[in-house]
Amino acid sequence: KTLTSYIIDGSRKDLTECNTSAGYEFDWKISKSYETDRYVTYTFSAYTFLGGAHGSFISKGSTFSKPEGIQFGWDIFNKEYGQTGHNAQYFNASTPVSFQECLLINPADFPLPTTPPLFLDDGMHFIYQQYEIAPYAAGLPECTIPYTEIQNMMTSQARALTGLDTTGTTVKKNTTEHQSAPQKFNISAF
């Protein structure tokens, strides 16, 4: 049974048991976001509507080394850097106050996203899911931090994968494909 048929069959069963005539929708897509001779990054996105005020959208990516096929996650960072991450400088906020007012969390305890970062051409890409740090209207807050700004936090294996040698010097990448990364989160839109 395919993943799609499993999800659709489960949704039909749930809606039948709820005795509802509400329409529902489930769309998903897997795409290659970026690839070099050392790694490939894929992104999975899905939209679900089961009735109610609005649907739900998720986006999650995975990066794999070549040719080993090893999947990378939060283990790309040295352990001493903990589980809190970014700050306002990586988001398009007009002021620190506007940044704080638009969050559902305390910016002093800014958590890392639940989904692992993605390796892209211009840096490490972080995606927060709906309601993870901001209201639904914010969409999926995301930002890209250049590799050179976070290289000291990365393991030597991750630096080598991205083309940074152990001294922090950029090694030329052999790029085979690139799709534009999503826009940065515009917090001032609220």
Side-chain angles (χ1 to χ4, degrees), residues 123-157:
M124 194 68 62
H125 190 72
F126 298 87
I127 305 171
Y128 290 88
Q129 302 305 306
Q130 290 175 334
Y131 296 109
E132 192 171 358
I133 61 168
Y136 178 84
L140 303 180
E142 54 193 339
C143 67
T144 301
I145 302 175
Y147 294 118
T148 54
E149 291 185 28
I150 60 171
Q151 67 186 352
N152 292 334
M153 295 188 225
M154 297 167 65
T155 64
S156 59
Q157 184 181 23

PDB file of all heavy atoms in Angstrom, residues 123-157:
ATOM      1  N   GLY A 123      23.492  28.640   2.253  1.00  0.00           N
ATOM      2  CA  GLY A 123      23.627  28.464   3.690  1.00  0.00           C
ATOM      3  C   GLY A 123      22.692  27.405   4.242  1.00  0.00           C
ATOM      4  O   GLY A 123      22.014  26.692   3.508  1.00  0.00           O
ATOM      5  N   MET A 124      22.657  27.341   5.570  1.00  0.00           N
ATOM      6  CA  MET A 124      21.819  26.395   6.283  1.00  0.00           C
ATOM      7  C   MET A 124      20.421  27.001   6.408  1.00  0.00           C
ATOM      8  O   MET A 124      20.263  28.109   6.904  1.00  0.00           O
ATOM      9  CB  MET A 124      22.419  26.136   7.674  1.00  0.00           C
ATOM     10  CG  MET A 124      21.838  24.949   8.380  1.00  0.00           C
ATOM     11  SD  MET A 124      22.246  23.366   7.611  1.00  0.00           S
ATOM     12  CE  MET A 124      24.017  23.310   7.747  1.00  0.00           C
ATOM     13  N   HIS A 125      19.411  26.262   5.942  1.00  0.00           N
ATOM     14  CA  HIS A 125      18.037  26.777   5.909  1.00  0.00           C
ATOM     15  C   HIS A 125      17.227  26.140   7.034  1.00  0.00           C
ATOM     16  O   HIS A 125      17.214  24.929   7.185  1.00  0.00           O
ATOM     17  CB  HIS A 125      17.413  26.469   4.549  1.00  0.00           C
ATOM     18  CG  HIS A 125      16.122  27.160   4.327  1.00  0.00           C
ATOM     19  ND1 HIS A 125      16.030  28.509   4.102  1.00  0.00           N
ATOM     20  CD2 HIS A 125      14.858  26.691   4.320  1.00  0.00           C
ATOM     21  CE1 HIS A 125      14.768  28.843   3.955  1.00  0.00           C
ATOM     22  NE2 HIS A 125      14.037  27.753   4.078  1.00  0.00           N
ATOM     23  N   PHE A 126      16.556  26.982   7.821  1.00  0.00           N
ATOM     24  CA  PHE A 126      15.753  26.541   8.956  1.00  0.00           C
ATOM     25  C   PHE A 126      14.291  26.881   8.684  1.00  0.00           C
ATOM     26  O   PHE A 126      13.978  28.001   8.290  1.00  0.00           O
ATOM     27  CB  PHE A 126      16.204  27.246  10.239  1.00  0.00           C
ATOM     28  CG  PHE A 126      17.623  26.937  10.608  1.00  0.00           C
ATOM     29  CD1 PHE A 126      18.668  27.693  10.088  1.00  0.00           C
ATOM     30  CD2 PHE A 126      17.924  25.899  11.476  1.00  0.00           C
ATOM     31  CE1 PHE A 126      19.989  27.415  10.427  1.00  0.00           C
ATOM     32  CE2 PHE A 126      19.243  25.615  11.813  1.00  0.00           C
ATOM     33  CZ  PHE A 126      20.276  26.377  11.288  1.00  0.00           C
ATOM     34  N   ILE A 127      13.388  25.914   8.914  1.00  0.00           N
ATOM     35  CA  ILE A 127      11.954  26.116   8.693  1.00  0.00           C
ATOM     36  C   ILE A 127      11.201  25.779   9.974  1.00  0.00           C
ATOM     37  O   ILE A 127      11.358  24.686  10.520  1.00  0.00           O
ATOM     38  CB  ILE A 127      11.421  25.212   7.563  1.00  0.00           C
ATOM     39  CG1 ILE A 127      12.198  25.412   6.274  1.00  0.00           C
ATOM     40  CG2 ILE A 127       9.924  25.452   7.341  1.00  0.00           C
ATOM     41  CD1 ILE A 127      11.862  24.394   5.199  1.00  0.00           C
ATOM     42  N   TYR A 128      10.396  26.720  10.430  1.00  0.00           N
ATOM     43  CA  TYR A 128       9.506  26.477  11.570  1.00  0.00           C
ATOM     44  C   TYR A 128       8.125  26.130  11.033  1.00  0.00           C
ATOM     45  O   TYR A 128       7.671  26.712  10.047  1.00  0.00           O
ATOM     46  CB  TYR A 128       9.408  27.723  12.460  1.00  0.00           C
ATOM     47  CG  TYR A 128      10.688  28.008  13.207  1.00  0.00           C
ATOM     48  CD1 TYR A 128      11.683  28.780  12.635  1.00  0.00           C
ATOM     49  CD2 TYR A 128      10.887  27.487  14.477  1.00  0.00           C
ATOM     50  CE1 TYR A 128      12.864  29.038  13.321  1.00  0.00           C
ATOM     51  CE2 TYR A 128      12.066  27.740  15.168  1.00  0.00           C
ATOM     52  CZ  TYR A 128      13.048  28.510  14.582  1.00  0.00           C
ATOM     53  OH  TYR A 128      14.208  28.755  15.251  1.00  0.00           O
ATOM     54  N   GLN A 129       7.440  25.213  11.677  1.00  0.00           N
ATOM     55  CA  GLN A 129       6.110  24.807  11.245  1.00  0.00           C
ATOM     56  C   GLN A 129       5.053  25.771  11.798  1.00  0.00           C
ATOM     57  O   GLN A 129       5.332  26.608  12.651  1.00  0.00           O
ATOM     58  CB  GLN A 129       5.826  23.376  11.708  1.00  0.00           C
ATOM     59  CG  GLN A 129       6.839  22.366  11.191  1.00  0.00           C
ATOM     60  CD  GLN A 129       6.988  22.364   9.681  1.00  0.00           C
ATOM     61  OE1 GLN A 129       6.011  22.227   8.955  1.00  0.00           O
ATOM     62  NE2 GLN A 129       8.210  22.519   9.188  1.00  0.00           N
ATOM     63  N   GLN A 130       3.828  25.643  11.291  1.00  0.00           N
ATOM     64  CA  GLN A 130       2.739  26.494  11.748  1.00  0.00           C
ATOM     65  C   GLN A 130       2.590  26.395  13.266  1.00  0.00           C
ATOM     66  O   GLN A 130       2.673  25.309  13.831  1.00  0.00           O
ATOM     67  CB  GLN A 130       1.427  26.079  11.091  1.00  0.00           C
ATOM     68  CG  GLN A 130       1.386  26.390   9.625  1.00  0.00           C
ATOM     69  CD  GLN A 130       0.135  25.867   8.948  1.00  0.00           C
ATOM     70  OE1 GLN A 130      -0.468  24.915   9.388  1.00  0.00           O
ATOM     71  NE2 GLN A 130      -0.229  26.510   7.854  1.00  0.00           N
ATOM     72  N   TYR A 131       2.406  27.520  13.894  1.00  0.00           N
ATOM     73  CA  TYR A 131       2.209  27.655  15.340  1.00  0.00           C
ATOM     74  C   TYR A 131       3.447  27.304  16.171  1.00  0.00           C
ATOM     75  O   TYR A 131       3.408  27.354  17.387  1.00  0.00           O
ATOM     76  CB  TYR A 131       1.017  26.820  15.840  1.00  0.00           C
ATOM     77  CG  TYR A 131      -0.304  27.244  15.287  1.00  0.00           C
ATOM     78  CD1 TYR A 131      -0.979  26.452  14.366  1.00  0.00           C
ATOM     79  CD2 TYR A 131      -0.898  28.432  15.690  1.00  0.00           C
ATOM     80  CE1 TYR A 131      -2.212  26.838  13.851  1.00  0.00           C
ATOM     81  CE2 TYR A 131      -2.128  28.826  15.186  1.00  0.00           C
ATOM     82  CZ  TYR A 131      -2.775  28.022  14.275  1.00  0.00           C
ATOM     83  OH  TYR A 131      -3.992  28.403  13.775  1.00  0.00           O
ATOM     84  N   GLU A 132       4.542  26.935  15.548  1.00  0.00           N
ATOM     85  CA  GLU A 132       5.728  26.553  16.318  1.00  0.00           C
ATOM     86  C   GLU A 132       6.322  27.750  17.059  1.00  0.00           C
ATOM     87  O   GLU A 132       6.715  27.627  18.218  1.00  0.00           O
ATOM     88  CB  GLU A 132       6.768  25.911  15.398  1.00  0.00           C
ATOM     89  CG  GLU A 132       7.890  25.237  16.144  1.00  0.00           C
ATOM     90  CD  GLU A 132       8.804  24.429  15.240  1.00  0.00           C
ATOM     91  OE1 GLU A 132       8.573  24.330  14.021  1.00  0.00           O
ATOM     92  OE2 GLU A 132       9.784  23.884  15.782  1.00  0.00           O
ATOM     93  N   ILE A 133       6.390  28.903  16.389  1.00  0.00           N
ATOM     94  CA  ILE A 133       6.889  30.108  17.064  1.00  0.00           C
ATOM     95  C   ILE A 133       6.013  31.329  16.804  1.00  0.00           C
ATOM     96  O   ILE A 133       6.171  32.348  17.459  1.00  0.00           O
ATOM     97  CB  ILE A 133       8.343  30.448  16.651  1.00  0.00           C
ATOM     98  CG1 ILE A 133       8.438  30.732  15.155  1.00  0.00           C
ATOM     99  CG2 ILE A 133       9.299  29.349  17.099  1.00  0.00           C
ATOM    100  CD1 ILE A 133       9.764  31.341  14.716  1.00  0.00           C
ATOM    101  N   ALA A 134       5.124  31.231  15.827  1.00  0.00           N
ATOM    102  CA  ALA A 134       4.321  32.391  15.425  1.00  0.00           C
ATOM    103  C   ALA A 134       2.908  31.929  15.059  1.00  0.00           C
ATOM    104  O   ALA A 134       2.680  30.738  14.831  1.00  0.00           O
ATOM    105  CB  ALA A 134       4.979  33.101  14.239  1.00  0.00           C
ATOM    106  N   PRO A 135       1.952  32.864  14.973  1.00  0.00           N
ATOM    107  CA  PRO A 135       0.574  32.491  14.646  1.00  0.00           C
ATOM    108  C   PRO A 135       0.425  31.964  13.216  1.00  0.00           C
ATOM    109  O   PRO A 135       1.317  32.126  12.382  1.00  0.00           O
ATOM    110  CB  PRO A 135      -0.212  33.792  14.832  1.00  0.00           C
ATOM    111  CG  PRO A 135       0.785  34.877  14.789  1.00  0.00           C
ATOM    112  CD  PRO A 135       2.105  34.296  15.200  1.00  0.00           C
ATOM    113  N   TYR A 136      -0.728  31.361  12.955  1.00  0.00           N
ATOM    114  CA  TYR A 136      -1.019  30.769  11.655  1.00  0.00           C
ATOM    115  C   TYR A 136      -0.789  31.759  10.509  1.00  0.00           C
ATOM    116  O   TYR A 136      -0.265  31.397   9.464  1.00  0.00           O
ATOM    117  CB  TYR A 136      -2.476  30.270  11.638  1.00  0.00           C
ATOM    118  CG  TYR A 136      -2.895  29.686  10.318  1.00  0.00           C
ATOM    119  CD1 TYR A 136      -2.605  28.363  10.013  1.00  0.00           C
ATOM    120  CD2 TYR A 136      -3.589  30.451   9.377  1.00  0.00           C
ATOM    121  CE1 TYR A 136      -2.981  27.811   8.798  1.00  0.00           C
ATOM    122  CE2 TYR A 136      -3.966  29.902   8.160  1.00  0.00           C
ATOM    123  CZ  TYR A 136      -3.667  28.591   7.878  1.00  0.00           C
ATOM    124  OH  TYR A 136      -4.033  28.050   6.674  1.00  0.00           O
ATOM    125  N   ALA A 137      -1.170  33.010  10.713  1.00  0.00           N
ATOM    126  CA  ALA A 137      -1.045  34.030   9.665  1.00  0.00           C
ATOM    127  C   ALA A 137       0.399  34.238   9.221  1.00  0.00           C
ATOM    128  O   ALA A 137       0.650  34.738   8.127  1.00  0.00           O
ATOM    129  CB  ALA A 137      -1.629  35.352  10.152  1.00  0.00           C
ATOM    130  N   ALA A 138       1.355  33.852  10.030  1.00  0.00           N
ATOM    131  CA  ALA A 138       2.773  34.011   9.687  1.00  0.00           C
ATOM    132  C   ALA A 138       3.241  32.952   8.702  1.00  0.00           C
ATOM    133  O   ALA A 138       4.336  33.066   8.148  1.00  0.00           O
ATOM    134  CB  ALA A 138       3.634  33.954  10.945  1.00  0.00           C
ATOM    135  N   GLY A 139       2.446  31.925   8.492  1.00  0.00           N
ATOM    136  CA  GLY A 139       2.878  30.852   7.598  1.00  0.00           C
ATOM    137  C   GLY A 139       3.960  30.015   8.256  1.00  0.00           C
ATOM    138  O   GLY A 139       3.892  29.717   9.449  1.00  0.00           O
ATOM    139  N   LEU A 140       4.960  29.668   7.489  1.00  0.00           N
ATOM    140  CA  LEU A 140       6.090  28.888   7.999  1.00  0.00           C
ATOM    141  C   LEU A 140       7.300  29.814   8.107  1.00  0.00           C
ATOM    142  O   LEU A 140       7.985  30.052   7.121  1.00  0.00           O
ATOM    143  CB  LEU A 140       6.415  27.719   7.067  1.00  0.00           C
ATOM    144  CG  LEU A 140       5.300  26.727   6.767  1.00  0.00           C
ATOM    145  CD1 LEU A 140       5.795  25.630   5.831  1.00  0.00           C
ATOM    146  CD2 LEU A 140       4.751  26.127   8.038  1.00  0.00           C
ATOM    147  N   PRO A 141       7.561  30.342   9.303  1.00  0.00           N
ATOM    148  CA  PRO A 141       8.734  31.213   9.445  1.00  0.00           C
ATOM    149  C   PRO A 141      10.003  30.442   9.074  1.00  0.00           C
ATOM    150  O   PRO A 141      10.184  29.294   9.460  1.00  0.00           O
ATOM    151  CB  PRO A 141       8.738  31.570  10.934  1.00  0.00           C
ATOM    152  CG  PRO A 141       7.329  31.372  11.372  1.00  0.00           C
ATOM    153  CD  PRO A 141       6.819  30.220  10.549  1.00  0.00           C
ATOM    154  N   GLU A 142      10.873  31.075   8.315  1.00  0.00           N
ATOM    155  CA  GLU A 142      12.089  30.409   7.873  1.00  0.00           C
ATOM    156  C   GLU A 142      13.197  31.422   7.660  1.00  0.00           C
ATOM    157  O   GLU A 142      12.936  32.615   7.480  1.00  0.00           O
ATOM    158  CB  GLU A 142      11.831  29.639   6.578  1.00  0.00           C
ATOM    159  CG  GLU A 142      11.235  30.470   5.482  1.00  0.00           C
ATOM    160  CD  GLU A 142      10.693  29.625   4.341  1.00  0.00           C
ATOM    161  OE1 GLU A 142      11.099  28.466   4.185  1.00  0.00           O
ATOM    162  OE2 GLU A 142       9.861  30.146   3.604  1.00  0.00           O
ATOM    163  N   CYS A 143      14.410  30.932   7.718  1.00  0.00           N
ATOM    164  CA  CYS A 143      15.559  31.796   7.461  1.00  0.00           C
ATOM    165  C   CYS A 143      16.719  30.948   6.968  1.00  0.00           C
ATOM    166  O   CYS A 143      16.754  29.743   7.165  1.00  0.00           O
ATOM    167  CB  CYS A 143      15.955  32.576   8.715  1.00  0.00           C
ATOM    168  SG  CYS A 143      16.597  31.565  10.056  1.00  0.00           S
ATOM    169  N   THR A 144      17.661  31.603   6.313  1.00  0.00           N
ATOM    170  CA  THR A 144      18.871  30.947   5.837  1.00  0.00           C
ATOM    171  C   THR A 144      20.064  31.661   6.453  1.00  0.00           C
ATOM    172  O   THR A 144      20.168  32.879   6.366  1.00  0.00           O
ATOM    173  CB  THR A 144      18.957  31.001   4.299  1.00  0.00           C
ATOM    174  OG1 THR A 144      17.807  30.355   3.760  1.00  0.00           O
ATOM    175  CG2 THR A 144      20.216  30.313   3.795  1.00  0.00           C
ATOM    176  N   ILE A 145      20.936  30.894   7.096  1.00  0.00           N
ATOM    177  CA  ILE A 145      22.135  31.454   7.717  1.00  0.00           C
ATOM    178  C   ILE A 145      23.340  30.995   6.897  1.00  0.00           C
ATOM    179  O   ILE A 145      23.523  29.793   6.681  1.00  0.00           O
ATOM    180  CB  ILE A 145      22.270  30.995   9.185  1.00  0.00           C
ATOM    181  CG1 ILE A 145      21.022  31.417   9.973  1.00  0.00           C
ATOM    182  CG2 ILE A 145      23.537  31.576   9.816  1.00  0.00           C
ATOM    183  CD1 ILE A 145      20.990  30.908  11.400  1.00  0.00           C
ATOM    184  N   PRO A 146      24.153  31.930   6.411  1.00  0.00           N
ATOM    185  CA  PRO A 146      25.318  31.541   5.606  1.00  0.00           C
ATOM    186  C   PRO A 146      26.226  30.564   6.366  1.00  0.00           C
ATOM    187  O   PRO A 146      26.423  30.690   7.580  1.00  0.00           O
ATOM    188  CB  PRO A 146      26.038  32.870   5.348  1.00  0.00           C
ATOM    189  CG  PRO A 146      24.981  33.911   5.503  1.00  0.00           C
ATOM    190  CD  PRO A 146      24.046  33.382   6.571  1.00  0.00           C
ATOM    191  N   TYR A 147      26.768  29.608   5.640  1.00  0.00           N
ATOM    192  CA  TYR A 147      27.653  28.612   6.246  1.00  0.00           C
ATOM    193  C   TYR A 147      28.818  29.262   6.986  1.00  0.00           C
ATOM    194  O   TYR A 147      29.218  28.804   8.053  1.00  0.00           O
ATOM    195  CB  TYR A 147      28.198  27.648   5.183  1.00  0.00           C
ATOM    196  CG  TYR A 147      27.147  26.787   4.549  1.00  0.00           C
ATOM    197  CD1 TYR A 147      26.882  26.876   3.191  1.00  0.00           C
ATOM    198  CD2 TYR A 147      26.405  25.880   5.302  1.00  0.00           C
ATOM    199  CE1 TYR A 147      25.912  26.080   2.598  1.00  0.00           C
ATOM    200  CE2 TYR A 147      25.435  25.085   4.714  1.00  0.00           C
ATOM    201  CZ  TYR A 147      25.192  25.190   3.363  1.00  0.00           C
ATOM    202  OH  TYR A 147      24.238  24.405   2.781  1.00  0.00           O
ATOM    203  N   THR A 148      29.345  30.339   6.444  1.00  0.00           N
ATOM    204  CA  THR A 148      30.493  30.983   7.074  1.00  0.00           C
ATOM    205  C   THR A 148      30.152  31.554   8.445  1.00  0.00           C
ATOM    206  O   THR A 148      31.031  31.709   9.278  1.00  0.00           O
ATOM    207  CB  THR A 148      31.046  32.104   6.177  1.00  0.00           C
ATOM    208  OG1 THR A 148      29.983  33.003   5.836  1.00  0.00           O
ATOM    209  CG2 THR A 148      31.664  31.528   4.904  1.00  0.00           C
ATOM    210  N   GLU A 149      28.864  31.865   8.698  1.00  0.00           N
ATOM    211  CA  GLU A 149      28.457  32.407   9.999  1.00  0.00           C
ATOM    212  C   GLU A 149      28.226  31.326  11.053  1.00  0.00           C
ATOM    213  O   GLU A 149      28.209  31.625  12.243  1.00  0.00           O
ATOM    214  CB  GLU A 149      27.199  33.257   9.855  1.00  0.00           C
ATOM    215  CG  GLU A 149      27.451  34.544   9.105  1.00  0.00           C
ATOM    216  CD  GLU A 149      26.220  35.437   9.068  1.00  0.00           C
ATOM    217  OE1 GLU A 149      25.388  35.363   9.992  1.00  0.00           O
ATOM    218  OE2 GLU A 149      26.103  36.204   8.095  1.00  0.00           O
ATOM    219  N   ILE A 150      28.015  30.089  10.631  1.00  0.00           N
ATOM    220  CA  ILE A 150      27.745  29.021  11.602  1.00  0.00           C
ATOM    221  C   ILE A 150      28.752  27.878  11.531  1.00  0.00           C
ATOM    222  O   ILE A 150      28.610  26.884  12.226  1.00  0.00           O
ATOM    223  CB  ILE A 150      26.311  28.451  11.436  1.00  0.00           C
ATOM    224  CG1 ILE A 150      26.123  27.864  10.049  1.00  0.00           C
ATOM    225  CG2 ILE A 150      25.267  29.475  11.773  1.00  0.00           C
ATOM    226  CD1 ILE A 150      24.820  27.102   9.885  1.00  0.00           C
ATOM    227  N   GLN A 151      29.807  28.045  10.749  1.00  0.00           N
ATOM    228  CA  GLN A 151      30.766  26.959  10.556  1.00  0.00           C
ATOM    229  C   GLN A 151      31.414  26.489  11.853  1.00  0.00           C
ATOM    230  O   GLN A 151      31.709  25.305  12.002  1.00  0.00           O
ATOM    231  CB  GLN A 151      31.828  27.360   9.542  1.00  0.00           C
ATOM    232  CG  GLN A 151      32.736  28.466  10.007  1.00  0.00           C
ATOM    233  CD  GLN A 151      33.675  28.918   8.915  1.00  0.00           C
ATOM    234  OE1 GLN A 151      33.749  28.314   7.856  1.00  0.00           O
ATOM    235  NE2 GLN A 151      34.384  29.998   9.159  1.00  0.00           N
ATOM    236  N   ASN A 152      31.603  27.372  12.824  1.00  0.00           N
ATOM    237  CA  ASN A 152      32.228  26.966  14.086  1.00  0.00           C
ATOM    238  C   ASN A 152      31.316  26.088  14.928  1.00  0.00           C
ATOM    239  O   ASN A 152      31.773  25.401  15.832  1.00  0.00           O
ATOM    240  CB  ASN A 152      32.666  28.186  14.886  1.00  0.00           C
ATOM    241  CG  ASN A 152      33.804  28.906  14.210  1.00  0.00           C
ATOM    242  OD1 ASN A 152      34.575  28.319  13.455  1.00  0.00           O
ATOM    243  ND2 ASN A 152      33.902  30.203  14.461  1.00  0.00           N
ATOM    244  N   MET A 153      30.018  26.106  14.650  1.00  0.00           N
ATOM    245  CA  MET A 153      29.058  25.258  15.359  1.00  0.00           C
ATOM    246  C   MET A 153      28.928  23.887  14.700  1.00  0.00           C
ATOM    247  O   MET A 153      28.425  22.962  15.302  1.00  0.00           O
ATOM    248  CB  MET A 153      27.677  25.914  15.370  1.00  0.00           C
ATOM    249  CG  MET A 153      27.598  27.189  16.133  1.00  0.00           C
ATOM    250  SD  MET A 153      25.866  27.635  16.188  1.00  0.00           S
ATOM    251  CE  MET A 153      25.930  29.345  15.812  1.00  0.00           C
ATOM    252  N   MET A 154      29.373  23.784  13.450  1.00  0.00           N
ATOM    253  CA  MET A 154      29.182  22.561  12.671  1.00  0.00           C
ATOM    254  C   MET A 154      30.293  21.546  12.944  1.00  0.00           C
ATOM    255  O   MET A 154      31.423  21.914  13.214  1.00  0.00           O
ATOM    256  CB  MET A 154      29.145  22.900  11.180  1.00  0.00           C
ATOM    257  CG  MET A 154      27.986  23.794  10.788  1.00  0.00           C
ATOM    258  SD  MET A 154      28.125  24.496   9.128  1.00  0.00           S
ATOM    259  CE  MET A 154      28.038  23.032   8.120  1.00  0.00           C
ATOM    260  N   THR A 155      29.929  20.278  12.831  1.00  0.00           N
ATOM    261  CA  THR A 155      30.932  19.218  12.952  1.00  0.00           C
ATOM    262  C   THR A 155      31.853  19.275  11.732  1.00  0.00           C
ATOM    263  O   THR A 155      31.495  19.849  10.695  1.00  0.00           O
ATOM    264  CB  THR A 155      30.264  17.827  13.013  1.00  0.00           C
ATOM    265  OG1 THR A 155      29.593  17.583  11.771  1.00  0.00           O
ATOM    266  CG2 THR A 155      29.305  17.706  14.193  1.00  0.00           C
ATOM    267  N   SER A 156      33.018  18.675  11.843  1.00  0.00           N
ATOM    268  CA  SER A 156      33.943  18.676  10.702  1.00  0.00           C
ATOM    269  C   SER A 156      33.334  17.939   9.513  1.00  0.00           C
ATOM    270  O   SER A 156      33.544  18.333   8.365  1.00  0.00           O
ATOM    271  CB  SER A 156      35.282  18.056  11.097  1.00  0.00           C
ATOM    272  OG  SER A 156      35.101  16.732  11.555  1.00  0.00           O
ATOM    273  N   GLN A 157      32.545  16.898   9.756  1.00  0.00           N
ATOM    274  CA  GLN A 157      31.882  16.162   8.679  1.00  0.00           C
ATOM    275  C   GLN A 157      30.886  17.061   7.935  1.00  0.00           C
ATOM    276  O   GLN A 157      30.828  17.059   6.717  1.00  0.00           O
ATOM    277  CB  GLN A 157      31.169  14.937   9.244  1.00  0.00           C
ATOM    278  CG  GLN A 157      30.534  14.069   8.185  1.00  0.00           C
ATOM    279  CD  GLN A 157      29.805  12.874   8.773  1.00  0.00           C
ATOM    280  OE1 GLN A 157      29.406  12.885   9.925  1.00  0.00           O
ATOM    281  NE2 GLN A 157      29.625  11.846   7.960  1.00  0.00           N
TER     282      GLN A 157
END
